Amino acid sequence: MTGASISALAALAGSAIGGLASLATAWLTQSHQEQTARIAQENTRRERIFGEFIDQASKLYVDALVHSLDDPTKMIGIYAVIGKLRLFAAADTIQEAERVIEAIVEIYFRPPLDLHDRKTLDVNKYDLLQPFAEACRRELFLASPARRPPTRTARAAY
């Protein structure tokens, strides 16, 4: 081999290596962007379902405070939402949601509360959704892209 052919071969090998590096970088970047978009979509779905549960539970909770359970079909909406939660939510979040439902059902079987009597209204005692909301916040924080451990493809980039 002559010096000219070695130089040409080295130039071709350098071009091939540069092209492969560029291709690998583009593939890793696209893979990371797709993963981030998928996680953001999951979190958006979680936020929507968590909010729907809070809306349903709030309405039922207030109704339970002032009425007895005269129509069990009132509970259909919240049971549908907790069914959706069971599809993807963390066990702690589901456990808190079940606790909320159990408390609402229990409250329905108590005597109605007189909301005009300020002495009976203890905000800390009647904040039924706070543990559920905190469980949701923890789950969303742990599921955020910044908190997720790097995947195998992401580790290869470093």
Side-chain angles (χ1 to χ4, degrees), residues 53 75 78-79 82 97-106:
F53 181 84
M75 301 294 289
I78 200 161
Y79 279 115
I82 199 168
E98 289 171 345
R99 187 193 58 75
V100 168
I101 290 176
E102 289 170 5
I104 289 172
V105 169
E106 182 181 313

Side-chain angles (χ1 to χ4, degrees), residues 39-104:
I39 291 168
Q41 187 177 22
E42 283 178 25
N43 282 347
T44 300
R45 181 183 63 203
R46 280 189 173 107
E47 289 172 2
R48 190 184 82 249
I49 299 296
F50 293 163
E52 187 178 342
F53 181 84
I54 289 170
D55 290 344
Q56 291 278 335
S58 298
K59 290 174 186 173
L60 286 173
Y61 180 51
V62 170
D63 187 62
L65 287 173
V66 294
H67 299 102
S68 60
L69 186 61
D70 53 351
D71 184 16
T73 60
K74 292 178 183 179
M75 301 294 289
I76 290 173
I78 200 161
Y79 279 115
V81 174
I82 199 168
K84 293 175 189 176
L85 282 174
R86 287 186 179 115
L87 292 174
F88 64 86
D92 291 344
T93 307
I94 294 168
Q95 183 178 8
E96 289 298 331
E98 289 171 345
R99 187 193 58 75
V100 168
I101 290 176
E102 289 170 5
I104 289 172

Side-chain angles (χ1 to χ4, degrees), residues 102-142:
E102 289 170 5
I104 289 172
V105 169
E106 182 181 313
I107 292 168
Y108 264 122
F109 291 106
R110 292 183 188 163
L113 184 67
D114 181 14
L115 294 178
H116 298 292
D117 184 8
R118 295 189 87 184
K119 293 178 185 174
T120 61
L121 297 177
D122 181 9
V123 175
N124 296 327
K125 181 180 176 185
Y126 292 106
D127 192 1
L128 185 66
L129 291 169
Q130 182 181 3
F132 174 76
E134 289 173 359
C136 293
R137 188 179 310 117
R138 278 191 307 273
E139 182 173 340
L140 290 171
F141 175 73
L142 292 174

Side-chain angles (χ1 to χ4, degrees), residues 4-43:
S5 60
I6 292 176
S7 294
L9 196 58
L12 286 174
S15 293
I17 290 171
L20 285 174
S22 177
L23 180 66
T25 301
W27 179 75
L28 288 172
T29 300
Q30 182 179 1
S31 174
H32 179 70
Q33 287 174 346
E34 288 173 357
Q35 181 183 18
T36 302
R38 189 172 45 255
I39 291 168
Q41 187 177 22
E42 283 178 25
N43 282 347

